[in-house]
Amino acid sequence: MNAVGDLPERALKVRDLEVAGATGPLPARLYAAGPSAKRDMLVVFYHGGGFDSGDLDEADDFLRSLAECDHLPLVLAPSYTLATVSPFPAAVEDAHAVLQWAKKNKTKLGWNGKLLVTAGIEAGANLAAVCALMSRDRGGPALAGQILVMPMLDPALSTGSMRQLTQCSDREKAATICAEAYRGYLPHAADRSHPYAAPLHSSRLKNLAPALILSAEDDPLRDEAELYGAKLINAGICTTVRRMAPADLQDPNGRNECACKWQAMGEIANFLARLEGRQGA
């Protein structure tokens, strides 16, 4: 069996473009593999970086793999306002504005508008989760699914994995980075309980898009990811939670690399297949 990259009909095309954020244009990147026909599915992926760093290059390898998976989704990776420029809610407003822009610019993207999925890693997964809340609360755009890879969902840093794993020096460093990131993103204490900043603590989780949540065995963010999955399930949301094998978080690109190297891509492909099945049912 040939690898995906060996199939000429799946040649990957990557295009830089601008999308509309909440207050102005944002750089973005569009990944498309395979024929030029319009696609049923668009995945909008928000990069990580703890709200205060990261860029479109950070997850490039991961996004190339995602665009080349069996279902050949279009993948749109937008930038967003970092906390060093403007804190909450600038990033989430940008993230939701990009979804609205995508829906209005289907032809430009090569998408037929049928299936829209939010996705992200770490801080970007926070934005993907919040976009599901915002789309519900603001009447659209309707989402078919949400993919949260090792998400940051708890500004209080209150879970067991966040506390217990700090006994290891490397994990302590990761927890400290999370705390610093939230201080920059949420400088006002009152915002730390806002559902658009702290999805884990939201009391309104009904009527959201189906979710795939991927945690990692030795990640301080592990428990908040899994607790959020449990809350979504209790709210009646079709949710799949998977814990990935330990990943090396000492590497600055470790989160994106582990998402490619371990189970994530297979889990994502299966999730996308289920979303397509729901559409055809």
Side-chain angles (χ1 to χ4, degrees):
M1 181 177 179
N2 291 330
V4 168
D6 295 333
L7 301 178
E9 65 271 20
R10 292 193 177 188
L12 178 65
K13 297 179 181 179
V14 182
R15 175 161 59 98
D16 291 330
L17 68 160
E18 281 192 342
V19 298
T23 60
L26 297 168
R29 194 169 288 169
L30 183 68
Y31 297 77
S36 58
K38 286 186 178 180
R39 311 297 173 81
D40 287 348
M41 183 177 293
L42 174 68
V43 178
V44 179
F45 181 95
Y46 306 103
H47 67 74
F51 302 106
D52 57 7
S53 64
D55 56 32
L56 297 180
D57 292 328
E58 183 179 86
D60 184 68
D61 288 343
F62 178 84
L63 297 178
R64 288 171 182 269
S65 297
L66 177 57
E68 291 178 329
C69 79
D70 288 345
H71 307 281
L72 298 179
L74 284 172
V75 180
L76 178 65
S79 56
Y80 51 85
T81 300
L82 298 178
T84 51
V85 176
S86 183
F88 175 84
V92 293
E93 292 294 348
D94 277 345
H96 186 252
V98 170
L99 298 182
Q100 295 173 313
W101 178 91
K103 200 71 177 180
K104 294 176 181 176
N105 290 270
K106 299 187 294 290
T107 300
K108 182 175 183 178
L109 295 173
W111 173 48
N112 63 20
K114 289 183 179 179
L115 295 171
L116 179 60
V117 179
T118 60
I121 191 164
E122 188 227 31
N126 175 295
L127 301 183
V130 170
C131 277
L133 298 171
M134 296 173 79
S135 292
R136 178 201 61 191
D137 296 345
R138 298 180 179 183
L143 298 181
Q146 51 180 317
I147 299 170
L148 315 180
V149 183
M150 295 177 288
M152 293 176 67
L153 303 170
D154 177 27
L157 306 178
S158 60
T159 64
S161 62
M162 187 61 70
R163 296 192 306 271
Q164 295 163 7
L165 292 178
T166 59
Q167 296 170 4
C168 171
S169 60
D170 290 333
R171 305 302 168 246
E172 183 174 2
K173 179 180 179 181
T176 299
I177 290 172
C178 288
E180 292 174 351
Y182 276 125
R183 281 195 292 271
Y185 183 54
L186 302 167
H188 306 295
D191 289 336
R192 297 194 171 198
S193 60
H194 195 293
Y196 291 175
L200 180 62
H201 300 292
S202 174
S203 60
R204 297 179 58 248
L205 295 176
K206 293 184 179 296
N207 303 315
L208 296 176
L212 170 65
I213 300 177
L214 301 178
S215 65
E217 176 66 35
D218 60 347
D219 186 2
L221 299 171
R222 181 194 66 205
D223 286 0
E224 61 199 77
E226 296 174 4
L227 286 169
Y228 191 61
K231 291 189 70 171
L232 290 179
I233 291 169
N234 288 337
I237 307 305
C238 182
T239 303
T240 300
V241 182
R242 294 284 187 265
R243 182 182 293 186
M244 297 185 292
D248 180 9
L249 300 186
Q250 299 177 62
D251 184 337
N253 297 316
R255 293 181 179 275
N256 294 301
E257 288 178 359
C258 97
C260 284
K261 185 176 181 180
W262 302 104
Q263 307 133 16
M265 205 54 67
E267 294 290 350
I268 290 171
N270 290 337
F271 180 70
L272 297 181
R274 292 196 296 272
L275 296 183
E276 288 182 332
R278 284 170 172 265
Q279 181 199 23

